[in-house]
Amino acid sequence: SAGSEEKAEYDCPKCKDQLGYIENKDGYEVWVRCKCIERRRIRKLMNSSDITAEFENLKFKNFITEGKPAVVKDTYDTAVEYYKDFDSIRGTRSNSIALLGQPGSGKTHLLTAISNKLIKSKNIAVQYFPYVEGFNDLKDDFDKLEEKLNRMKEVEVLFIDDLFKPVYTNTKDGRIKKPRATDWQVEQTYSVINYRYLNHKPVLISSELDIEELVDIDEALGTRIYEMCADYCVIIKGDRMQLNHRLAGLRNG
């Protein structure tokens, strides 16, 4: 039908992608801004954030705290509080949040929920940087290295997911955790974090390492992160099955 052809032809059939339309009001023809402008703005911010459609669905309201240990509820409360306080703290030294420790306890979900809300409710640009894949991209695309690092330094909010994501190996003496942290990765991460620290630009960080382990990798970097995140920092430790959201289904099933 003609109607469906028109829909396919335009993103917004109402204004035919003109971002507005002429309407008759009290005998006068007036130009009215189309509501699709807001939708386009959010889509543009989402596209430039590198947050995938799958991650876009991670929200505060679909984070499960019921039946979880107190520390998971505490992590949720800290994330919500950070979002609520964002406008008043964003220009201060402690304007960032770090959710650290236990894998699978919902750290990425909560920081993504903050990111989604900053983009959609506050019109704030967020750059998502998954540590392992992100550094592979930087290494593979050396020509664009400076441009990408500059974006990470300058963007309004930077979300580093799984900082120094460790590799685990089983030995006869137990499970050994070795952070992924080459000198080059540490150097680039420090240059980004230090720039943001000096310019009071917020960072959202998730990591399986706690503050002491971050300081062991690089003292200047670890202490910068701690100072930026001191007011909103949760370290999740405890029984793996109790704290791991991804394993909960296996245990209950």
Side-chain angles (χ1 to χ4, degrees), residues 2-18 39-40:
S4 63
E5 274 170 35
E6 189 175 277
K7 270 182 189 163
E9 203 178 323
Y10 299 108
D11 274 344
C12 178
K14 185 161 189 181
C15 72
K16 299 188 169 52
D17 296 348
Q18 297 301 300
R39 198 174 63 241
R40 289 167 193 273

Side-chain angles (χ1 to χ4, degrees), residues 135-188:
F135 266 109
N136 286 340
D137 288 348
L138 290 179
K139 216 167 52 216
D140 293 345
D141 199 355
F142 229 75
D143 295 344
K144 291 207 173 145
L145 178 66
E146 194 141 337
E147 186 190 315
K148 288 181 175 180
L149 286 171
N150 280 340
R151 173 160 170 76
M152 289 168 71
K153 288 174 181 175
E154 295 290 357
V155 69
E156 287 180 275
V157 174
L158 176 66
F159 170 12
I160 302 178
D161 193 23
D162 245 340
L163 177 61
F164 300 134
K165 184 177 175 63
V167 181
Y168 293 92
T169 48
N170 293 315
T171 70
K172 60 180 191 317
D173 301 320
R175 205 158 173 247
I176 294 174
K177 177 162 79 170
K178 187 178 186 303
R180 285 182 176 93
T182 65
D183 289 348
W184 184 75
Q185 288 170 339
V186 171
E187 193 184 317
Q188 304 308 329

Side-chain angles (χ1 to χ4, degrees), residues 68-237:
K68 302 287 174 194
V71 70
V72 172
K73 177 82 169 73
D74 188 36
T75 310
Y76 171 83
D77 290 343
T78 303
V80 170
E81 187 186 350
Y82 176 79
Y83 175 73
K84 284 182 179 163
D85 294 347
F86 185 82
D87 292 332
S88 60
I89 63 166
R90 68 181 294 185
T92 68
R93 175 100 323 142
S94 185
N95 58 6
S96 302
I97 180 169
L99 304 182
L100 308 173
Q102 200 66 45
S105 51
K107 302 185 299 291
T108 295
H109 183 141
L110 289 170
L111 295 183
T112 306
I114 292 171
S115 303
N116 285 328
K117 278 191 78 68
L118 288 174
I119 290 169
K120 292 177 179 176
S121 303
K122 295 188 186 291
N123 192 19
I124 285 168
V126 179
Q127 177 65 45
Y128 175 64
F129 185 78
Y131 180 79
V132 177
E133 299 86 337
F135 266 109
N136 286 340
D137 288 348
L138 290 179
K139 216 167 52 216
D140 293 345
D141 199 355
F142 229 75
D143 295 344
K144 291 207 173 145
L145 178 66
E146 194 141 337
E147 186 190 315
K148 288 181 175 180
L149 286 171
N150 280 340
R151 173 160 170 76
M152 289 168 71
K153 288 174 181 175
E154 295 290 357
V155 69
E156 287 180 275
V157 174
L158 176 66
F159 170 12
I160 302 178
D161 193 23
D162 245 340
L163 177 61
F164 300 134
K165 184 177 175 63
V167 181
Y168 293 92
T169 48
N170 293 315
T171 70
K172 60 180 191 317
D173 301 320
R175 205 158 173 247
I176 294 174
K177 177 162 79 170
K178 187 178 186 303
R180 285 182 176 93
T182 65
D183 289 348
W184 184 75
Q185 288 170 339
V186 171
E187 193 184 317
Q188 304 308 329
T189 305
Y190 178 75
S191 79
V192 168
I193 293 287
N194 190 49
Y195 182 89
R196 298 188 69 84
Y197 170 85
L198 294 173
N199 292 281
H200 292 198
K201 288 176 170 285
V203 187
L204 320 176
I205 292 176
S206 83
S207 179
E208 289 178 29
L209 310 175
D210 62 23
I211 291 290
E212 282 174 21
E213 289 170 315
L214 292 174
V215 169
D216 282 346
I217 289 170
D218 186 90
E219 191 168 345
L221 176 61
T223 51
R224 285 279 190 274
I225 289 171
Y226 179 69
E227 202 176 329
M228 292 170 83
C229 303
D231 294 342
Y232 305 89
C233 181
V234 181
I235 295 165
I236 304 155
K237 288 186 174 175

Side-chain angles (χ1 to χ4, degrees), residues 14-70:
K14 185 161 189 181
C15 72
K16 299 188 169 52
D17 296 348
Q18 297 301 300
L19 309 185
Y21 45 86
I22 289 171
E23 212 173 64
N24 199 311
K25 280 191 179 171
D26 305 324
Y28 294 96
E29 286 192 334
V30 294
W31 179 259
V32 179
R33 273 165 61 91
C34 187
K35 286 193 171 71
C36 75
I37 289 175
E38 181 71 2
R39 198 174 63 241
R40 289 167 193 273
R41 181 187 58 71
I42 288 169
R43 181 51 41 213
K44 198 173 169 191
L45 278 173
M46 286 306 304
N47 288 344
S48 69
S49 73
D50 293 330
I51 290 171
T52 62
E54 182 191 1
F55 270 32
E56 206 179 331
N57 293 323
L58 299 175
K59 300 173 181 156
F60 285 129
K61 65 182 180 195
N62 56 25
F63 183 83
I64 297 161
T65 55
E66 202 179 318
K68 302 287 174 194

